Amino acid sequence: MSVQDVLSPFKAWKNLFRDPVTIADPLNDRPGAARYRGFHQNDLDKCIGCGTCEEICQNGAIDMVAELKIEQAEGDSGLRPRIDYGRCCWCALCVDVCMTGSLTMSNAYTWVDTDPEEFRFTPGVDKKDWDDAELGYHRPEGLHLTPMTRVEMREMEPEERVANFDEIVCGYSVGEALVEADRCVSCGLCVATCPAHMAIPDYIAAIRDQDYEHGLELLYDTNPFSQVCGRVCTHKCEDACSVGHEGEPIAIRWLKRHITENVPREKYMDIIGGTADDTGKKIAIIGAGPAGLTTAFDLVKMGHNITVFEAQAGPGGMARYGIPEYRMPYDDLDHEVSIITGMGVDIRYNMRVGQDISMDQLRQDYDAVLLSIGLHVGRSTRIKGTEHKDVLKAVDLLRDITNGVKVKVPKKIVVIGGGNVAMDIARSMARLQKQKYGKVDLTVIALEDLQHFMADPEEVKEAREEGIEILDARGPQEIVLTKGGRISGLRTWKVTSIFDDQGRFAPSYDESDEMLHKANMVIEAIGQASDVSLLGEDLTEALDWNRGRLSVDAEGRTSQSWLWAAGDCVHGPDIIHAVADGHVVADSINAALNEQEEADAKD
């Protein structure tokens, strides 16, 4: 026996007065460390159900499930993550990737239950003791698994662009598009928000895979105006983008455009596909805008014979005659229309229904008729002086500019309105002023304050860059004339409110805050209406209306069974909504024709 063996028992006495390291009740008396990764928590007020947590989980421990217990808001999928703790490895990647920071982990790590199903639950919905625990793992501040800023779109410089009508947006290069596409987390919230339900994550993935032909196929599955929407879509999908909760949303619109620019035009028809066998059915469509031509695109693919009657000399409707070429190059619009006509759709230009052919004749000669007549009539403020010849409507001027008609360009112009049409006509007239006088002298006044402008923020920003003055919260009161009867300006008052307590349009003003805006021309851009004179009195009376717009059922059918309506004349100005309408109406007309054929066969 060694000396060490003899002394060892005596050395143990030094621990006699120390606290024991064992815990009598380790299940209840031993909390995890402050940042321990324990059971999950989910803040339902922040969660949007984007599903990025499910996507990143390598163990398949997270399933997105529908939860009826939550109040679903816009941009919220209504789904919530259900965690399976038989699979979870507590890696916390789901917390790190969470777009809104709603998903966290408590420091609770012990839980005993005899029912294994209890270990699969939906945090935040299925209440747990640790729901309000402050300690645990949260995504570290400043940590982002995806880049927060989008790839900047290159544009023509303001001084250069204001002198011409060339397209101002340059488009992404392949390298730029790849970087931007890599920011997408494939949550799919954009798909639900898009009126046409385009397969956005899938076509963005096609960019990452450099498979542009597959990307184009995906685009045209739901949108025959992808080149147009790649430029002028209202891109509500970007408002819903989950990446936008921690940074800038994905540039979905520009990525769509990028695909269309990277497939040779001669390949489009082969990628999009052909048509079914001829059904012998004939459909008349009034208006060659996005709604009418989307309907035509779908129906001709089904094998029906389509004739489109267009009052103007060119196709596109408001996309051509309401949007300037610096935003929407007409060559790209014409190419998309050529795809539709190439599939067999017959467009008859300069054919005004109600003059060159009647609605009654269309009803007799065709199996179904669609109205997609847009909003080509400008509204007026009706203030004193608006009957003057130099008080013009924005839609009329935009149409004249598109058609190459020479328009009057005075030195000082005032535009009334705060929407995209107001910005479009202001920027168009500014270009004409620049070309004629070498400078811009144009003011936009609007009832709304800047935070509530209907115009896209980028349009407002670009207008200001081009030298246009924008004054918000100003209400037009009178067109002021000189003694000789010429326009000298527009008198406005400060707006204090636009709506009354019941939410009705009833502007009120501070009359002591008055301004006189010098001008030789005033342009009204306060809204548009449809020209329904083509319908005639009897049909106009027979149809149902909703505040000046055609009233239709969920399938786009009017109160007259033979007549459908779609697009701006039903839902207001929005190209992607018009495309969505076209799909709905095409399916409805096709179903109605099939039902009629089955009924005739039984007879």
Side-chain angles (χ1 to χ4, degrees):
M1 180 180 294
S2 67
V3 174
Q4 182 69 23
D5 292 335
V6 173
L7 296 178
S8 290
F10 297 98
K11 288 181 180 180
W13 283 97
K14 69 180 180 181
N15 297 318
L16 179 62
F17 300 104
R18 290 182 179 178
D19 292 332
V21 295
T22 56
I23 298 172
D25 188 356
L27 295 181
N28 298 307
D29 297 340
R30 189 175 181 180
R35 282 177 53 79
Y36 193 87
R37 299 196 295 257
F39 296 113
H40 291 77
Q41 303 158 303
N42 194 16
D43 186 338
L44 297 184
D45 291 335
K46 293 182 179 179
C47 183
I48 56 174
C50 65
T52 52
C53 52
E54 178 186 45
E55 187 73 20
I56 205 169
C57 182
Q58 299 300 299
N59 295 330
I62 301 178
D63 292 310
M64 299 301 294
V65 297
E67 284 295 346
L68 300 178
K69 302 175 185 177
I70 63 172
E71 189 173 330
Q72 187 176 346
E74 188 174 352
D76 184 341
S77 72
L79 305 177
R80 293 297 180 265
R82 179 179 289 273
I83 317 292
D84 183 347
Y85 287 97
R87 293 176 174 269
C88 179
C89 68
W90 282 270
C91 66
L93 278 176
C94 55
V95 174
D96 290 343
V97 80
C98 180
M99 294 290 107
T100 63
S102 71
L103 197 62
T104 58
M105 301 176 83
S106 69
N107 70 334
Y109 68 100
T110 57
W111 182 20
V112 176
D113 201 290
T114 58
D115 183 0
E117 288 301 313
E118 288 295 313
F119 295 96
R120 295 175 67 248
F121 69 89
T122 307
V125 176
D126 300 325
K127 300 301 180 184
K128 300 298 178 184
D129 294 339
W130 51 80
D131 282 348
D132 298 323
E134 295 182 2
L135 299 180
Y137 182 78
H138 297 228
R139 184 177 65 185
E141 185 154 355
L143 172 66
H144 300 281
L145 298 188
T146 57
M148 294 185 66
T149 56
R150 64 167 58 181
V151 176
E152 186 177 354
M153 174 59 70
R154 291 168 289 116
E155 294 184 355
M156 194 185 302
E157 291 299 319
E159 275 301 313
E160 179 185 358
R161 71 188 188 224
V162 75
N164 60 68
F165 281 80
D166 295 343
E167 185 177 19
I168 67 174
V169 175
C170 301
Y172 280 147
S173 67
V174 171
E176 289 168 337
L178 280 171
V179 173
E180 183 62 19
D182 274 341
R183 297 178 61 230
C184 177
V185 295
S186 300
C187 68
L189 292 179
C190 47
V191 178
T193 306
C194 173
H197 303 306
M198 299 186 73
I200 296 168
D202 293 335
Y203 71 66
I204 291 178
I207 294 175
R208 289 198 296 265
D209 296 338
Q210 294 290 275
D211 190 349
Y212 289 114
E213 292 189 11
H214 179 56
L216 190 78
E217 182 182 17
L218 291 169
L219 293 181
Y220 273 81
D221 277 346
T222 50
N223 190 349
F225 284 93
S226 290
Q227 292 177 71
V228 172
C229 287
R231 287 169 168 81
V232 296
C233 183
T234 47
H235 54 92
K236 299 299 183 186
C237 52
E238 295 181 17
D239 293 339
C241 177
S242 62
V243 177
H245 286 269
E246 62 174 13
E248 294 180 295
I250 307 301
I252 297 171
R253 175 175 54 171
W254 301 138
L255 291 175
K256 186 192 293 90
R257 168 182 170 166
H258 179 74
I259 292 173
T260 65
E261 291 179 331
N262 280 274
V263 176
R265 288 187 172 182
E266 60 269 18
K267 288 189 175 183
Y268 269 58
M269 288 296 291
D270 291 337
I271 293 169
I272 293 167
T275 63
D277 294 336
D278 190 350
T279 64
K281 299 296 183 181
K282 300 193 304 178
I283 296 99
I285 295 174
I286 306 169
L293 291 184
T294 297
T295 307
F297 177 78
D298 285 358
L299 288 173
V300 77
K301 288 177 70 176
M302 298 172 187
H304 302 308
N305 297 287
I306 312 300
T307 304
V308 180
F309 297 89
E310 172 53 53
Q312 299 297 326
M318 296 302 290
R320 178 185 294 272
Y321 295 103
I323 300 177
E325 194 162 19
Y326 62 80
R327 290 181 60 207
M328 180 61 253
Y330 301 143
D331 175 64
D332 294 292
L333 174 59
D334 288 339
H335 175 247
E336 293 208 292
V337 175
S338 74
I339 299 296
I340 297 169
T341 56
M343 298 177 74
V345 173
D346 178 22
I347 304 179
R348 300 181 184 178
Y349 298 109
N350 298 309
M351 283 284 290
R352 188 172 293 277
V353 176
Q355 295 180 12
D356 301 311
I357 189 170
S358 68
M359 290 293 294
D360 286 340
Q361 191 66 49
L362 293 179
R363 182 180 181 182
Q364 292 174 21
D365 294 347
Y366 293 87
D367 297 295
V369 180
L370 167 65
L371 278 172
S372 55
I373 55 178
L375 300 170
H376 292 274
V377 179
R379 297 187 185 276
S380 174
T381 59
R382 298 184 181 179
I383 61 174
K384 183 180 178 181
T386 51
E387 68 281 356
H388 195 280
K389 65 181 180 63
D390 288 329
V391 177
L392 305 174
K393 304 293 189 302
V395 288
D396 297 333
L397 275 173
L398 287 169
R399 182 165 55 246
D400 285 346
I401 292 170
T402 296
N403 284 328
V405 176
K406 188 175 181 179
V407 300
K408 186 176 181 179
V409 185
K411 289 185 176 181
K412 293 181 180 292
I413 301 173
V414 169
V415 174
I416 303 173
N420 283 333
V421 173
M423 297 301 137
D424 285 342
I425 192 59
R427 296 176 69 188
S428 295
M429 296 303 291
R431 280 159 169 74
L432 296 178
Q433 280 186 328
K434 184 72 172 180
Q435 291 171 3
K436 186 172 182 178
Y437 304 110
K439 66 176 183 177
V440 174
D441 192 344
L442 195 149
T443 301
V444 175
I445 69 104
L447 285 176
E448 302 85 2
D449 58 52
L450 275 174
Q451 287 71 33
H452 296 92
F453 264 33
M454 296 298 290
D456 294 340
E458 62 198 42
E459 280 249 56
V460 176
K461 172 179 173 291
E462 290 170 357
R464 283 179 159 166
E465 290 173 348
E466 292 164 4
I468 296 169
E469 180 183 32
I470 297 177
L471 301 176
D472 63 342
R474 305 298 309 178
Q477 302 302 315
E478 177 188 7
I479 308 294
V480 180
L481 305 180
T482 66
K483 290 182 179 180
R486 291 178 297 178
I487 292 178
S488 64
L490 173 70
R491 193 186 313 279
T492 67
W493 290 340
K494 177 72 173 179
V495 176
T496 55
S497 66
I498 297 177
F499 302 99
D500 63 17
D501 294 338
Q502 283 72 45
R504 294 171 299 194
F505 181 75
S508 58
Y509 307 99
D510 177 0
E511 298 181 21
S512 66
D513 187 344
E514 181 175 284
M515 294 180 69
L516 178 63
H517 313 277
K518 293 182 179 181
N520 312 117
M521 175 188 286
V522 175
I523 302 171
E524 296 181 299
I526 62 164
Q528 299 90 246
S530 299
D531 180 1
V532 297
S533 61
L534 79 165
L535 299 175
E537 290 184 11
D538 292 342
L539 182 54
T540 301
E541 185 67 27
L543 289 168
D544 290 339
W545 298 86
N546 180 19
R547 296 185 178 181
R549 291 179 181 158
L550 282 157
S551 183
V552 299
D553 64 16
E555 297 180 341
R557 207 167 193 168
T558 70
S559 55
Q560 302 298 299
S561 61
W562 57 276
L563 184 64
W564 282 256
D568 294 357
C569 64
V570 176
H571 293 115
D574 186 354
I575 289 177
I576 189 62
H577 205 304
V579 169
D581 277 3
H583 292 313
V584 170
V585 168
D587 288 340
S588 177
I589 291 175
N590 184 62
L593 295 178
N594 289 338
E595 288 174 10
Q596 185 60 50
E597 189 171 0
E598 291 174 4
D600 292 344
K602 289 180 181 178
D603 293 341

